[in-house]
Amino acid sequence: MSVFPKISLRPEVEHYLKESFLNKEVVSTSGKQEAEKKFETLLNHLSHPPSFTTVRVNTHLASIQCVKNLLHDELQKQFNGLSIPVFQHPDLQDVLLIPVVGPRGIGIRMTEPVYLSPSFDNVLSSYLYLQNLPSAVVTHVLNPQPGEKILDLCAAPGGKTTHIAALMHDQGEVIALDKISNKVEKIKQNALLLGLNSIRAFCFDGTKALKLDMSQDTEGEPPFLPESFDRILLDAPCSGMGQRPNMACTWTLKEVTSYQPLQRKLFTVAVQLLKPGGVLVYSTCTVTLAENEEQVAWALATFPCLQLQPQEPLIGGEGMVGAGLSLEQLKQLQRFDPSVVPLQDTDIDSFKNARMEDMIWLANKDCIGFFIAKFVKCKNT
């Protein structure tokens, strides 16, 4: 049983979130009482860490089994010989899962760590990248192929950028943009550390990445000509309301709602930069309806050239009702909702005695709040 307090939000922000999670379609589908219970459960989950630490193996430099063995040895060193299990995800072969052992309670006096979770500071840094599970799912949904030209429109700190390059076997071109210079340097450092040469990172505002002046000579650098990219990832700036653990969020309602217009500007640029037949993946690490399903509904209405696509792998739940999308469209989305599993204490024995299928199910469900939509641009518009 949890005794951590639920995430602390400004009253107007909590009211805003509650209104969307108790919209007419939700209440009609599940009933008001069940919807209210689910919303309160979500707020409680956001203040707790996920059940697993997720790391992505840099398959460009080493095999998964080799890195898994190195990681197991490292964990034994960190925890004085205690054997912490490491699971390979069956649907995300380059993802390893490490259970977070600890109470779903509250520490009054910190004399030792509340949660048994490994440190990855300078640990196997060329072979492992610490990444939330849904963030690893996104790149697999994008499905980059060797030889393609791919744009990561809002790339910092570069986890998904380097994942794209690794899945392409470092063959092709990955363009990474971010408007903050020190974050761009971090992308370059990560690419160097992971031995990836196909990445080119630029300090550039993604909303201005489309070349409007055709006389401007920017060959190979932003801004880019229309229809320049085979695939585009728009992991959009967002309110981040799905991040865990998060005990408090002091943002005002104005700040939380400021992202939808920015996301639409970036989306509009992305559609124009995408080749006909190309793939656009949109994602956020937030749980708001306005930044997720409403953006999908807006995109489909605004850009007739776009078609919503089924996703592979499909690990998250379907989209939330309330934005006017059909049930079929909602099934093509992935919404990772941590409130679908009960909070529970975890210890070593509980993981040792559990079935692998149950562990993977828990890892898939008890993660950060996240959203993914996949589109293809029609060739004939």
Side-chain angles (χ1 to χ4, degrees), residues 273-321:
L273 289 175
L274 188 64
K275 293 179 181 179
V279 170
L280 168 60
V281 171
Y282 172 83
S283 63
T284 73
C285 60
T286 195
V287 296
T288 72
L289 191 69
E291 297 171 81
N292 295 329
E293 289 84 359
E294 282 186 17
Q295 297 295 54
V296 172
W298 165 83
L300 293 173
T302 306
F303 305 104
C305 62
L306 291 184
Q307 289 184 350
L308 200 59
Q309 294 290 293
Q311 299 181 38
E312 179 65 36
L314 188 61
I315 291 173
E318 62 187 42
M320 186 169 76
V321 298

Side-chain angles (χ1 to χ4, degrees), residues 2-42:
S2 169
V3 291
F4 271 176
K6 70 180 185 182
I7 184 173
S8 175
L9 302 169
R10 289 175 180 257
E12 68 270 21
V13 172
E14 184 167 337
H15 178 71
Y16 165 76
L17 286 177
K18 188 171 184 177
E19 276 193 327
S20 65
F21 276 82
L22 272 71
N23 68 68
K24 289 182 180 179
E25 284 189 70
V26 169
V27 171
S28 175
T29 302
S30 61
K32 185 176 181 181
Q33 186 175 0
E34 184 61 30
E36 287 180 338
K37 181 182 176 182
K38 184 176 176 62
F39 178 66
E40 288 299 314
T41 302
L42 174 65

Side-chain angles (χ1 to χ4, degrees), residues 67-121:
V67 175
K68 186 177 178 181
N69 292 339
L70 291 171
L71 179 57
H72 187 267
D73 293 343
E74 173 61 31
L75 293 178
Q76 284 205 313
K77 290 177 188 175
Q78 287 194 26
F79 299 129
N80 299 318
L82 188 63
S83 182
I84 303 289
V86 177
F87 305 102
Q88 183 179 2
H89 198 289
D91 300 312
L92 306 165
Q93 293 293 307
D94 53 359
V95 168
L96 299 177
L97 304 166
I98 307 156
V100 174
V101 179
R104 297 297 187 177
I106 187 165
I108 304 301
R109 182 182 175 196
M110 289 294 295
T111 58
E112 59 185 42
V114 174
Y115 288 95
L116 195 60
S117 180
S119 168
F120 284 94
D121 188 20

Side-chain angles (χ1 to χ4, degrees), residues 143-155:
N143 193 27
Q145 299 298 310
E148 291 182 331
K149 185 175 182 180
I150 298 181
L151 175 63
D152 190 349
L153 194 54
C154 304

Side-chain angles (χ1 to χ4, degrees), residues 310-311 314 317-319 326-334:
Q311 299 181 38
L314 188 61
E318 62 187 42
S326 69
L327 292 178
E328 186 60 35
Q329 289 171 327
L330 293 175
K331 289 177 181 178
Q332 292 180 309
L333 305 175
Q334 290 202 70

